[in-house]
Amino acid sequence: MKKVLITGAAGFLGSHLSERFLKDGFSVVGMDNYITGSLKNIELLSSYQNFEFIEHDVTKHIEFKGDLDYILHFASPASPIDYLKIPIQTLKVGSLGTHNLLGLAKAKGAVILVASTSEVYGDPLVHPQVESYFGNVNPIGPRGVYDEAKRFQEAITMAYHRFHKLDTKIVRIFNTYGPRMRLNDGRVLPAFIGQALRGEDLTIFGDGEQTRSFCYVDDLIDGIVKLLFGNYNEPVNLGNPDEITINEFAQEILALTNTNQKIVYKPLPENDPLKRRPNIDLALDILGWKPSVSRKIGLQRTYDYFCSLNREELFKKDHQNFEKFNKF
Ligand code: UDP
């Protein structure tokens, strides 16, 4: 049985990935320090026989006994609100954490895939974003802690590939959504659905004419699995090119939730990208991958998940305890 280590297993994408590999017959070791992850996800994964969990902060040296065939590095705060609250942890997990995991992959002879992001393109001047575009990132802006950590991550991963001949993969993930997102992580989809369910106004930042392109989680996971087992070592965009303005998106959420909440406009956060849409020609070409879940279906599944949460979870402002992590 092949063994895979998944960092960030308590998080949104990490937990979906872990479940996918368990269902596909792998032995999965999940690793997380719960800084933004949820115990509930680990409890769910623990119902699988071949799942093992190690509570550990990957920015610290990783001691791992036994063989490993694959490593997937998905540990990182990923919502703008989170990485503003824990900026140094965000920088460390993308840089020091990635370095530790590359070292572990080298020691074990494992294939490693790291989670990068569309944020490496910053506020893009090329649209849609193609992998060859170098990006337009403000290194010292509020999002710089995430964007630059991920850019460093890509640089060190390619260096390990070129210098140590490590089999590495880099996925540039565009806005992805689905069940198990944290309702209060600050991202637009859980924010709007949470507001609608609580009977609050929907908050649109800026004039709402900025765009995003939302990919359903199952599609993304399929693409990641294909990338891991393929033989392409440079960054690959994965996302859904179906682009929409935030104004249109708010209307879709009102229709989905069958509510008529008021919409209020708030200032646009600094360096918030004005448009984002992946060019996925490369993924189609080398992996034969393209997303298949429409926003209508994906949003309905996600909404059903949020509706299944109890009232306490719905009204909880934020369950994350960042305090203890900000002492270093
Ligand atoms: N946004 C918004 N209202 C919210 C949360 C987010 O209008 O309550 C906007 C945000 O400014 C951005 C877009 O929605 O333009 C997507 O934000 P998100 O945080 O989901 O992800 P990003 O793509 O910016 O990382």
Side-chain angles (χ1 to χ4, degrees):
M1 187 181 265
K2 298 274 189 199
K3 194 173 248 190
V4 45
L5 170 68
I6 302 182
T7 74
F12 166 50
L13 294 180
S15 68
H16 279 281
L17 267 177
S18 299
E19 200 168 21
R20 169 65 185 265
F21 278 94
L22 287 163
K23 284 183 175 159
D24 286 356
F26 288 76
S27 162
V28 174
V29 181
M31 190 173 277
D32 209 294
N33 66 349
Y34 291 122
I35 189 167
T36 53
S38 145
L39 184 61
K40 224 170 115 183
N41 290 337
I42 296 302
E43 282 167 357
L44 183 146
L45 295 171
S46 298
S47 65
Y48 289 84
Q49 206 189 345
N50 295 314
F51 181 74
E52 187 190 324
F53 181 66
I54 302 173
E55 186 171 343
H56 183 70
D57 176 350
V58 298
T59 68
K60 312 256 163 51
H61 179 77
I62 304 164
E63 196 65 49
F64 191 89
K65 292 200 175 58
D67 294 338
L68 273 179
D69 299 288
Y70 302 99
I71 297 176
L72 294 127
H73 181 26
F74 277 72
S76 178
S79 92
I81 283 195
D82 285 348
Y83 49 75
L84 290 182
K85 285 188 193 152
I86 37 174
I88 296 172
Q89 286 296 328
T90 303
L91 278 158
K92 283 169 74 178
V93 74
S95 54
L96 307 181
T98 303
H99 184 217
N100 285 337
L101 288 155
L102 287 164
L104 183 64
K106 182 156 116 350
K108 303 287 180 188
V111 179
I112 178 167
L113 180 148
V114 299
S116 187
T117 167
S118 54
E119 283 284 326
V120 299
Y121 302 119
D123 191 4
L125 304 176
V126 167
H127 193 74
Q129 291 77 60
V130 65
E131 286 86 347
S132 55
Y133 176 49
F134 296 162
N136 177 38
V137 173
N138 175 3
I140 58 163
R143 300 171 88 105
V145 296
Y146 184 64
D147 302 6
E148 295 298 356
K150 292 293 189 180
R151 288 167 69 94
F152 174 86
Q153 178 186 58
E154 291 199 2
I156 193 169
T157 300
M158 288 310 297
Y160 267 71
H161 172 65
R162 293 187 180 122
F163 189 75
H164 289 306
K165 311 282 178 252
L166 202 64
D167 190 357
T168 60
K169 326 277 175 187
I170 300 173
V171 54
R172 289 186 181 153
I173 300 169
F174 284 66
N175 296 69
T176 299
Y177 70 96
R180 297 187 209 151
M181 286 184 101
R182 265 167 49 218
L183 196 56
N184 296 308
D185 83 352
R187 279 186 283 194
V188 66
L189 181 143
F192 284 176
I193 292 188
Q195 288 161 344
L197 288 175
R198 292 188 297 263
E200 296 169 359
D201 298 342
L202 264 56
T203 52
I204 291 186
F205 300 159
D207 63 5
E209 286 305 295
Q210 70 271 36
T211 68
R212 292 295 185 273
S213 309
F214 297 97
C215 182
Y216 187 65
V217 62
D218 289 0
D219 279 334
L220 182 87
I221 301 296
D222 280 341
I224 291 170
V225 171
K226 287 199 158 103
L227 180 63
L228 179 70
F229 297 128
N231 54 12
Y232 191 81
N233 299 111
E234 299 208 358
V236 179
N237 289 341
L238 292 182
N240 190 322
D242 190 0
E243 185 180 1
I244 184 175
T245 67
I246 298 301
N247 282 324
E248 290 165 332
F249 190 61
Q251 292 305 326
E252 286 191 3
I253 299 293
L254 292 179
L256 174 77
T257 56
N258 200 17
T259 51
N260 54 0
Q261 303 312 122
K262 226 172 69 204
I263 288 179
V264 293
Y265 288 85
K266 299 259 169 98
L268 189 69
E270 198 182 336
N271 299 142
D272 193 294
L274 289 180
K275 48 190 179 222
R276 183 181 292 150
R277 173 177 158 204
N279 175 316
I280 56 165
D281 291 352
L282 181 65
L284 185 60
D285 186 31
I286 61 161
L287 308 173
W289 176 89
K290 61 176 171 28
S292 64
V293 181
S294 67
R295 204 167 49 243
K296 191 170 170 44
I297 290 176
L299 283 182
Q300 186 63 51
R301 287 184 197 161
T302 310
Y303 178 56
D304 292 344
Y305 163 78
F306 283 125
C307 288
S308 75
L309 299 178
N310 60 36
R311 276 186 68 80
E312 194 199 333
E313 285 173 296
L314 206 57
F315 282 88
K316 195 158 50 182
K317 270 303 169 206
D318 206 329
H319 68 280
Q320 302 305 324
N321 170 16
F322 292 136
E323 289 314 307
K324 70 174 183 185
F325 296 99
N326 274 331
K327 295 188 191 121
F328 32 77

